[in-house]
Amino acid sequence: MSNAPAHFGKVAVLMGGQSAEREVSFMSGNGVLNALRSRGVDAHAFDPAERNLADLKKEGFQRCFIALHGRFGEDGTVQGALELLGIPYTGSGVMASSIAIDKTMTKRVWLSEDVPTPRYVLLKQDNLGEQAQAHVIQTLGLPLIVKPAREGSSIGVAKVTQASELPQALKAAAACDTDVLCEQFIAGDEVTCPVLGEGETAQALPVIRIVAPAGNYDYQNKYFTDDTQYLVPSGLPESEEKAIQALVVKAYQVLGCKGWGRVDVMIDAQSRKPYLLEINTSPGMTGHSLVPMSAKAAGMDYESLCMHLLAHAGLEHSSSAGGLA
């Protein structure tokens, strides 16, 4: 597989998009764009919210680097469009993307394959009343976490420590999604672990331990402050780190992910058992992002990571090449 810039042809870096993470996507996309150009790739910014995807074919783009986050970018929709256009793209295909964006569907697959994940209750936007709230607290106890089932970047996520806080948390999450996920709270170390590759060749990068101000790793602390600490090496016992790496590779494989991804994990402080929260199939590539940080610890700089991902761009159904004009 050639990594020569000319081999890639004309490359579109898809950024922006229509999701709640549009702002973060531009930060990721511009970082990728500059990195690819610095290595001599003929790369161009392309915002699917402003332009028709069919223009990719008309304008002769030969590969796409997906730097979109959230819905219409990370959920299988743009992947399906690129399959029809016959333009190879970075990251997971249609099915893995569409399952992974939905935290509830991800949990169902993981649980069926004995991948540990916190207990949960799924609520619908039109059924958030007192009876539903009582069921959530009875099932999960307090504190608990409330989040939209299909958003990222901690948008709409709240920690509920007393019953009186639950209605507002549900309302905020329901404003983002018709599905509201209520989840058992795991107190302990928060870590994340990227994965590169596909199938049996998938490999975990170093684990990063996240220490956020007051334990609150929210949207602001993810992207716009320097107060959050990212520890890589993680400082975890080696056996614990290796076990987490093996677990996240399994979680990645059972969903059929490829290219790259990042799995977020909580380690129970008492039992030291890891619980997987979610998987990101189009992780952030901003200055604060974690995949580049972990890759750097493994000896791969940001530009090399971008080139590696682009080199592994592909199609699930190569017979679709040359599909839509």
Side-chain angles (χ1 to χ4, degrees):
M1 184 178 293
S2 171
N3 272 12
H7 167 74
F8 298 136
K10 190 177 178 184
V11 175
V13 180
L14 305 187
M15 64 176 92
Q18 301 174 50
S19 83
E21 298 174 83
R22 178 175 171 82
E23 181 183 5
V24 178
S25 174
F26 277 124
M27 292 161 64
S28 288
N30 282 311
V32 170
L33 183 67
N34 291 333
L36 295 178
R37 285 177 171 172
S38 77
R39 292 290 179 92
V41 175
D42 181 20
H44 306 260
F46 192 103
D47 181 359
E50 304 288 338
R51 305 182 61 189
N52 192 313
L53 284 172
D55 289 349
L56 290 167
K57 194 78 174 171
K58 288 176 191 162
E59 295 177 21
F61 284 101
Q62 291 166 273
R63 275 177 197 233
C64 288
F65 191 115
I66 298 177
L68 299 163
H69 305 313
R71 279 179 264 189
F72 306 112
E74 200 170 350
D75 62 357
T77 51
V78 78
Q79 288 79 7
L82 294 171
E83 290 284 340
L84 289 169
L85 290 167
I87 302 174
Y89 55 92
T90 55
S92 290
V94 177
M95 186 186 73
S97 299
S98 60
I99 294 174
I101 193 76
D102 189 317
K103 297 177 182 68
T104 313
M105 292 303 293
T106 299
K107 281 176 172 288
R108 288 170 177 159
V109 175
W110 281 348
L111 289 168
S112 75
E113 298 284 347
D114 297 320
V115 174
T117 182
R119 290 181 295 111
Y120 71 98
V121 173
L122 178 65
L123 297 180
K124 295 292 183 180
Q125 196 178 47
D126 56 0
N127 182 25
L128 303 175
E130 289 180 13
Q131 193 174 348
Q133 292 172 32
H135 173 61
V136 166
I137 291 171
Q138 185 181 357
T139 306
L140 302 177
L142 289 167
L144 59 87
I145 299 291
V146 175
K147 58 180 79 166
R150 295 172 291 246
E151 281 294 356
S153 295
S154 301
I155 291 167
V157 177
K159 180 181 176 185
V160 173
T161 53
Q162 47 196 23
S164 60
E165 297 168 354
L166 186 55
Q168 180 54 39
L170 292 174
K171 185 179 175 185
C176 301
D177 199 338
T178 53
D179 286 2
V180 177
L181 183 63
C182 303
E183 192 174 61
Q184 169 195 11
F185 176 72
I186 307 294
D189 288 328
E190 182 169 4
V191 302
T192 194
C193 183
V195 181
L196 296 181
E198 179 179 0
E200 293 303 310
T201 65
Q203 288 187 307
L205 291 175
V207 171
I208 299 176
R209 186 156 58 94
I210 300 162
V211 184
N216 186 22
Y217 191 46
D218 60 8
Y219 183 84
Q220 185 66 24
N221 285 330
K222 274 187 179 178
Y223 299 108
F224 301 106
T225 70
D226 293 313
D227 298 332
T228 301
Q229 289 181 280
Y230 303 103
L231 305 179
V232 55
S234 65
L236 299 175
E238 188 181 359
S239 60
E240 204 168 274
E241 170 141 357
K242 280 193 159 57
I244 288 170
Q245 287 177 312
L247 191 59
V248 301
V249 167
K250 179 183 177 182
Y252 179 93
Q253 289 169 332
V254 300
L255 290 173
C257 296
K258 64 180 182 180
W260 64 325
R262 199 194 77 236
V263 182
D264 297 336
V265 183
M266 291 299 300
I267 305 169
D268 184 280
Q270 246 92 49
S271 68
R272 301 307 294 172
K273 179 180 176 179
Y275 290 86
L276 277 58
L277 301 181
E278 64 176 287
I279 183 166
N280 300 276
T281 55
S282 182
M285 289 290 280
T286 73
H288 283 237
S289 290
L290 304 177
V291 177
M293 195 180 298
S294 175
K296 187 176 181 184
M300 182 185 287
D301 65 22
Y302 185 97
E303 290 79 11
S304 298
L305 174 62
C306 291
M307 293 293 282
H308 173 87
L309 295 170
L310 187 63
H312 288 81
L315 289 164
E316 288 190 296
H317 307 290
S318 56
S319 61
S320 65
L324 294 181

